[in-house]
Amino acid sequence: MMEHRGLVIGLTGQTGAGKSTVAALLRERGLTVIDADQIARAVMQAGSEVLAGLASAFGADILFSDGSLNRPLLAQRAFSASEQTARLNAITHPAIIQKMRAETARAFREGVKAVVLDAPQLFESGENQICDFIIAVTAPEPLRIERIMKRDQISEESARLRANAQKSETYYKEHADILVRDYPPFDLSTELEPVWERIRQFNAKKNPESCF
């Protein structure tokens, strides 16, 4: 387990549930958010070892002529079956985890008191083990499918493949510390109150004069 001097908050949930909105609100409150998706794009740049591994596993045609990744084609193949998704994770997770941990350590060295690990694959990667508490964002499947189709400009079939590759809402309810819902009739500011309270409790133990 990685040692850390500050608060590590896990942020995860189902694709299309509103995790990015929650991450933005956490940033607005001054928290440092480490985005696993951004890191994934960085470690899968043209010429990288990760990209070479993906091409070997899923076919050389997932690369464009300039060596960059054809993300829709990779998603189509990687999310077509659970064993394919497992292959994707086995290739990408080690590099993503290494970089996330390096950025977390750097943030704490720079004096940051709380870091949010924004990671859709938080549990799958095992990074939930270094978190002090975990927020999971969930939403009904029809709403998530609609949001994914609009966000990624993909078909309903492709959106369902992505959604079905993730863990169920029941899993998140059982394994997360705080469940957040970003859809009517739930109010997101109210949903996040338990998060602020957890941070206040942590700060109070570390610094009694904190007024987060």
Side-chain angles (χ1 to χ4, degrees):
M1 180 179 293
M2 182 186 70
E3 296 183 1
H4 56 267
R5 296 189 297 274
L7 181 67
V8 178
I9 304 167
L11 174 61
T12 190
Q14 300 165 303
T15 181
K19 184 171 61 63
S20 295
T21 302
V22 173
L25 290 174
L26 297 177
R27 283 192 183 92
E28 288 178 7
R29 289 293 291 262
L31 298 177
T32 296
V33 178
I34 297 176
D35 188 334
D37 285 339
Q38 288 184 359
I39 289 175
R41 285 190 284 272
V43 302
M44 290 190 287
Q45 291 180 341
S48 67
E49 291 184 10
V50 173
L51 205 54
L54 291 172
S56 176
F58 294 99
D61 58 335
I62 66 166
L63 303 181
F64 289 118
S65 58
D66 64 356
S68 62
L69 178 62
N70 184 334
R71 295 182 184 278
L73 182 57
L74 174 62
Q76 180 183 343
R77 293 177 181 173
F79 300 138
S80 61
S82 58
E83 59 268 23
Q84 293 291 78
T85 305
R87 292 179 75 190
L88 171 71
N89 292 343
I91 295 168
T92 59
H93 280 175
I96 294 170
I97 290 170
Q98 182 180 29
K99 191 166 179 61
M100 287 187 74
R101 292 193 176 193
E103 291 196 10
T104 299
R106 182 179 64 183
F108 288 140
R109 286 198 303 271
E110 293 174 352
V112 170
K113 302 302 181 184
V115 166
V116 178
L117 303 183
D118 178 0
Q121 299 281 305
L122 185 72
F123 291 107
E124 293 85 343
S125 67
E127 288 303 271
N128 59 298
Q129 297 177 23
I130 70 169
C131 297
D132 294 289
F133 70 90
I134 296 169
I135 307 163
V137 188
T138 66
E141 183 176 301
L143 176 59
R144 291 189 289 112
I145 297 300
E146 180 182 337
R147 287 175 173 176
I148 296 167
M149 291 171 63
K150 182 177 181 180
R151 180 193 68 198
D152 299 339
Q153 295 296 299
I154 57 177
S155 67
E156 181 177 347
E157 179 183 4
S158 295
R160 289 191 182 279
L161 282 175
R162 297 189 185 190
N164 292 338
Q166 289 188 302
K167 296 186 180 299
S168 67
E169 182 173 352
T170 299
Y171 182 93
Y172 289 111
K173 287 180 178 179
E174 292 176 349
H175 292 80
D177 299 292
I178 299 173
L179 199 67
V180 171
R181 294 154 294 191
D182 180 26
Y183 58 91
F186 302 101
D187 175 69
L188 193 52
S189 61
T190 302
E191 293 283 290
L192 288 174
E193 273 304 318
V195 176
W196 313 137
E197 181 58 29
R198 287 266 190 149
I199 295 173
R200 283 191 288 266
Q201 290 173 0
F202 177 84
N203 286 342
K205 291 179 182 179
K206 295 290 185 179
N207 177 14
E209 297 180 358
S210 174
C211 59
F212 179 90

